[in-house]
Amino acid sequence: MLNKKHIAILVFGILVISGVAFSGCVEPDEEESKAILRMGFSWPTEIDPAIGTDESSSTAYTNFYDPLVFPTQTGVEPWIAEDWTISEDGTEYTFDLRDDVTFHSGNEMTAEDVMFSMERLTTIGQGFAFLFDEHVDIENSTVVDDYTVKFVLEEPRGVFLSTLTRLYIVDKEDVLNHADEDADLVYEPWGHDLGKSYLLENSAGTGPYEVYDADVTDHFYGEKNEDYWGPMADNAPDEFRMLALGDPTTERSMFGEESLEVTSEWLEYGTVTEIADDHDGKTGAYFSGGAFYGQMHTQKEPLDCVHVRKAIAYSFNYTEQIEEIFPSSRLPNGIIPSVLPGATELDMPRRNITKAEEELQKSKYYPDIVENPSDYKIEISWTAQVPATEKVALMLAGNLDDIGLEGESNKYQWGALIDAMSNKEDSPHVTMVWVTAQFPEAGGLLQARYHSDTADSWEQNEWLENDTIDGMIEDALAEPNKEDRFALYEQLQKDLLEMSPSLFLHSQFSRHAYQDYVTWPHAEDPEEHAIPTIGYNKNVRMIEVLPPDER
């Protein structure tokens, strides 16, 4: 699970604020004539599609690379793969590839590159490798011809197509030409680092933007690929710049100077509104396929009792949390956000003190837990990099006091919280964490949140470790028939709600301020355009930015 810990640190990281984020190698007079889209992100960010999984890294992949298939609101659509066939037993997928795609290097993209991309990802074993490394039989998968590739699976896997939204195609020749045989980590049988050092600050993709200036501590600049094969908006920006930001004062100043077009993900609601209002900007929000969870440690007293967990669930003021802290988000109507295919609408807990007290009375810790609450103090963790989570932790502590329990709000740096959550004894009672689907289906979130394989990762502080739930998840992911798979998801969600391992706080809507000369379909009309997969709503080729002389 070291890879998961490494990946997790990328989710929020340490925010690096730097004045050079909006400097660069472009001459001022040349820059003044360009349409540039500058976005703020939490940092660090990986641009190597075999390394990261967080929001900023996923955004980089979406813009510098192309996936084999592209996510939609309801599933996937052809992309690099134009068409595919699936064997009757569901273990062989044969893909017909486009023959008009070139890499940023000028090299033609072929089936060799697609196969290499899968081999590289699973060999490195980081990032999205967990979606493939135990399922794809690399040895028996084959390059059929220049534009046909066949992947063989170890067993049927109904979600395989959806997971291929995370197979980003890299330029085999370019990567191998820049492979380092003397790197600290050399992969066998390759005998080199598979281009990891090179892709730290360079792109080797076919995407709509190509990295031309990089500082891993501060920024990545990409210029438009004029030969891009796919659709692109008429006024797609000439450049896309990812900046290490997150400080409200810095972002407010840059926005006012028009050196920032889109604010970063984790600014508080009021700050985003103020920035837009003060500088004649716009605000927009889109669903991301994620949810905010209060992850309850089911193996730690007193949360090892389901009745205590249910009491806490009934004590929390969900409506107040939305109204006062996260106005752009929505009350949950299930344990999985409704925008994800396969999500089930359920009768979710709402604040009800009478029910909370009734559940406490059923607990094995009653009445001592209310007579001596300090003996059962419940630690509620929150992340320093996201100040709004402190407000939720304090709200929950106050709600616990309403039913005679004692809660304690504790601040963690994100990296320290990851370390604590990797150990069953050190994990807090409750952690406040957003988790987002890595592929566009309910199973992607169910697996990340409740399978034993993720028990010691940031995605699951619940420590559920339940063999029955594991089997149900695996059976659902393997089921090739969508209707049958969704039926399995439904039963899973009902059983998990009855177990009450989590506080299902809200379905996430990501909210940003952006300049009035920017048109962003995903944020302006999310019902029509937003995609419930992390990273894909910042698809810059579909965002329009007026050039300076037309504003």
Side-chain angles (χ1 to χ4, degrees):
M1 286 302 183
L2 289 177
N3 285 340
K4 284 244 180 217
K5 288 173 61 180
H6 171 73
I7 291 165
I9 291 171
L10 300 179
V11 177
F12 297 99
I14 298 172
L15 298 178
V16 181
I17 310 304
S18 173
V20 300
F22 44 94
S23 64
C25 59
V26 179
E27 294 298 325
D29 56 345
E30 180 183 351
E31 183 170 315
E32 287 175 2
S33 65
K34 288 188 172 184
I36 302 174
L37 182 71
R38 289 156 286 210
M39 282 188 176
F41 291 89
S42 59
W43 220 256
T45 294
E46 297 283 357
I47 61 170
D48 181 342
I51 305 301
T53 62
D54 62 295
E55 186 265 345
S56 60
S57 299
S58 296
T59 298
Y61 309 152
T62 299
N63 290 288
F64 302 143
Y65 293 86
D66 281 310
L68 192 61
V69 298
F70 206 87
T72 68
Q73 291 186 347
T74 58
V76 301
E77 65 181 0
W79 204 246
I80 292 298
E82 286 190 303
D83 198 7
W84 50 83
T85 57
I86 306 171
S87 64
E88 288 188 11
D89 67 358
T91 62
E92 294 185 1
Y93 286 70
T94 303
F95 295 91
D96 299 323
L97 309 177
R98 299 187 66 93
D99 62 3
D100 59 348
V101 180
T102 57
F103 287 103
H104 299 151
S105 66
N107 294 331
E108 181 186 17
M109 188 222 70
T110 69
E112 283 283 352
D113 300 294
V114 174
M115 182 61 70
F116 174 73
S117 299
M118 179 67 81
E119 290 182 88
R120 181 177 186 271
L121 176 60
T122 55
T123 299
I124 291 174
Q126 295 177 231
F128 294 110
F130 72 95
L131 297 174
F132 307 108
D133 55 10
E134 293 183 4
H135 307 289
V136 178
D137 182 351
I138 293 292
E139 186 173 332
N140 289 308
S141 297
T142 58
V143 172
V144 178
D145 57 41
D146 283 352
Y147 303 108
T148 311
V149 64
K150 180 170 72 174
F151 289 122
V152 177
L153 306 187
E154 299 284 357
E155 69 287 313
R157 185 163 171 81
V159 297
F160 184 60
L161 276 177
S162 290
T163 63
L164 289 172
T165 58
R166 295 308 189 182
L167 181 62
Y168 298 94
I169 312 308
V170 301
D171 185 338
K172 180 178 181 179
E173 181 180 342
D174 190 32
V175 169
L176 293 184
N177 283 343
H178 292 89
D180 186 354
E181 297 178 358
D182 300 317
D184 291 338
L185 183 57
V186 172
Y187 295 96
E188 299 301 337
W190 297 92
H192 49 66
D193 73 342
L194 279 168
K196 280 182 66 176
S197 301
Y198 174 62
L199 293 188
L200 193 65
E201 292 190 333
N202 296 277
S203 57
T206 62
Y209 290 84
E210 177 183 3
V211 174
Y212 77 89
D213 184 29
D215 180 340
V216 294
T217 68
D218 183 80
H219 67 262
F220 294 105
Y221 294 172
E223 59 186 355
K224 185 161 64 174
N225 177 4
E226 299 294 349
D227 296 322
Y228 186 60
W229 64 271
M232 189 174 284
D234 290 341
N235 286 316
D238 300 309
E239 291 190 14
F240 168 48
R241 299 186 179 183
M242 304 181 68
L243 310 179
L245 293 174
D247 175 70
T249 302
T250 302
E251 295 203 32
R252 181 180 282 107
S253 175
M254 292 176 64
F255 196 91
E257 296 167 356
E258 294 190 1
S259 58
L260 179 68
E261 275 66 45
V262 181
T263 59
S264 59
E265 177 95 6
W266 303 111
L267 298 185
E268 294 193 42
Y269 179 92
T271 301
V272 171
T273 301
E274 289 172 5
I275 289 175
D277 289 348
D278 291 348
H279 301 290
D280 297 322
K282 298 184 280 190
T283 61
Y286 53 86
F287 51 78
S288 61
F292 189 37
Y293 297 93
Q295 303 177 342
M296 294 192 282
H297 195 325
T298 64
Q299 297 190 50
K300 195 167 193 173
E301 295 183 357
L303 301 186
D304 59 336
C305 176
V306 65
H307 297 294
V308 174
R309 299 197 300 270
K310 286 185 175 182
I312 294 173
Y314 281 121
S315 76
F316 188 70
N317 196 325
Y318 302 88
T319 302
E320 184 178 359
Q321 168 230 185
I322 295 291
E323 292 175 348
E324 296 190 4
I325 307 174
F326 303 108
S328 291
S329 295
R330 295 179 180 176
L331 286 172
N333 58 4
I335 73 172
I336 300 295
S338 60
V339 297
L340 282 171
T344 298
E345 187 171 333
L346 300 170
D347 185 14
M348 301 300 292
R350 295 291 185 260
R351 180 170 168 85
N352 187 320
I353 297 301
T354 300
K355 283 188 176 182
E357 291 173 341
E358 289 173 353
E359 290 293 342
L360 273 184
Q361 291 168 18
K362 299 175 186 177
S363 165
K364 63 182 180 181
Y365 297 109
Y366 188 83
D368 196 48
I369 193 171
V370 294
E371 293 174 352
N372 299 289
S374 60
D375 293 342
Y376 302 87
K377 186 179 295 184
I378 297 169
E379 179 189 6
I380 308 165
S381 68
W382 58 279
T383 308
Q385 283 81 5
V386 188
T389 56
E390 179 185 16
K391 297 180 180 180
V392 182
L394 292 172
M395 180 179 291
L396 177 58
N399 293 160
L400 293 181
D401 185 62
D402 294 339
I403 59 172
L405 302 184
E406 184 173 344
E408 180 180 50
S409 168
N410 284 334
K411 178 174 74 171
Y412 283 78
Q413 295 298 319
W414 181 240
L417 183 57
I418 299 310
D419 286 338
M421 292 169 70
S422 69
N423 184 284
K424 191 180 299 186
E425 286 68 38
D426 295 338
S427 288
H429 285 96
V430 184
T431 61
M432 299 294 180
V433 177
W434 284 273
V435 186
T436 303
Q438 302 290 11
F439 60 90
E441 205 169 287
L445 205 48
L446 288 166
Q447 180 185 33
R449 293 290 293 112
Y450 298 112
H451 195 282
S452 293
D453 286 348
T454 67
D456 59 355
S457 78
W458 67 275
E459 291 172 297
Q460 185 197 161
N461 186 63
E462 285 84 355
W463 293 93
L464 203 57
E465 296 185 313
N466 185 293
D467 290 342
T468 300
I469 293 297
D470 288 351
M472 293 176 70
I473 292 173
E474 291 160 7
D475 289 346
L477 296 179
E479 173 55 53
N481 181 277
K482 180 184 283 189
E483 289 185 7
D484 292 342
R485 186 165 68 251
F486 284 12
L488 293 173
Y489 289 159
E490 180 176 356
Q491 189 58 54
L492 247 173
Q493 291 166 75
K494 290 178 178 178
D495 290 354
L496 284 164
L497 181 60
E498 183 59 30
M499 297 170 73
S500 195
S502 318
L503 296 172
F504 306 102
L505 300 172
H506 66 244
S507 295
Q508 182 184 1
F509 267 59
S510 298
R511 192 168 189 269
H512 301 264
Y514 56 102
Q515 301 284 2
D516 65 352
Y517 52 82
V518 172
T519 302
W520 186 2
H522 301 76
E524 293 170 11
D525 188 2
E527 297 297 329
E528 178 70 22
H529 297 284
I531 298 172
T533 309
I534 190 171
Y536 279 98
N537 287 306
K538 294 175 181 174
N539 186 5
V540 174
R541 64 184 174 82
M542 302 309 295
I543 299 174
E544 299 194 79
V545 180
L546 291 178
D549 59 359
E550 295 183 24
R551 297 173 192 169

